[in-house]
């Protein structure tokens, strides 16, 4: 059974990104919200973002509330933030596979990859 998962690592502070809002949108035929959650104490979500029949072939976007996370840490950062909401767009080609889309983020940069 295929599934979509994520986790967030705060690379500036060397720890999991705890309490970060995560919203998933389906992009085919418009932009439609299909999942919403918040990362746990390990920077992960307690369950897959999408799985089973909810995971469909197509284009998706995950939006991470990184700016709110960094503001909550009380860091001295300029406004507007350089990295605020992080939107990652990607495609699901095979609904029988596991798509893991992690975010490595700091107030100044971010990166992602297809994990396992």
């Amino acid at each position: 059974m295929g599934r979509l998962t994520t986790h967030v690592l705060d690379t500036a502070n060397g720890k999991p990104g705890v309490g970060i809002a995560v919203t998933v949108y389906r992009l085919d035929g418009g932009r439609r919200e299909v999942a919403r959650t918040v990362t746990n104490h390990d920077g992960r979500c307690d369950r897959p973002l999408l799985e089973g029949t909810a995971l469909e072939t197509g284009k998706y976007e995950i939006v991470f509330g990184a700016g709110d996370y960094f503001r909550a840490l009380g860091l001295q950062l300029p406004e507007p933030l350089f990295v605020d909401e992080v939107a990652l767009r990607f495609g699901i080609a095979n609904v029988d596979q596991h798509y893991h889309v992690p975010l490595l983020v700091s107030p100044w940069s971010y990166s992602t990859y297809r994990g396992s």
Side-chain angles (χ1 to χ4, degrees):
M1 177 173 70
R3 64 192 185 280
L4 173 63
T5 59
T6 191
H7 75 271
V8 182
L9 298 173
D10 175 347
T11 57
N13 295 295
K15 62 181 189 174
V18 177
I20 296 177
V22 178
T23 308
V24 181
Y25 297 92
R26 178 84 192 265
L27 299 178
D28 295 331
R31 187 174 188 251
R32 177 176 48 95
E33 182 178 318
V34 293
R36 179 182 295 259
T37 191
V38 175
T39 58
N40 63 21
H41 70 281
D42 196 32
R44 297 178 182 275
C45 300
D46 290 331
R47 44 186 285 222
L49 299 169
L50 297 172
E51 64 183 328
T53 58
L55 184 67
E56 300 177 278
T57 300
K59 296 178 184 178
Y60 290 85
E61 177 180 68
I62 300 178
V63 178
F64 298 89
D68 290 340
Y69 165 78
F70 288 119
R71 283 184 190 96
L73 291 179
L75 302 176
Q76 295 292 328
L77 297 171
E79 286 288 345
L81 297 178
F82 184 72
V83 172
D84 196 349
E85 285 192 334
V86 176
L88 303 177
R89 290 189 171 187
F90 57 94
I92 301 287
N94 184 338
V95 297
D96 294 323
Q97 293 183 353
H98 179 193
Y99 285 80
H100 185 66
V101 184
L103 176 69
L104 289 74
V105 66
S106 83
W108 312 112
S109 67
Y110 62 89
S111 65
T112 192
Y113 56 93
R114 181 173 175 193
S116 58

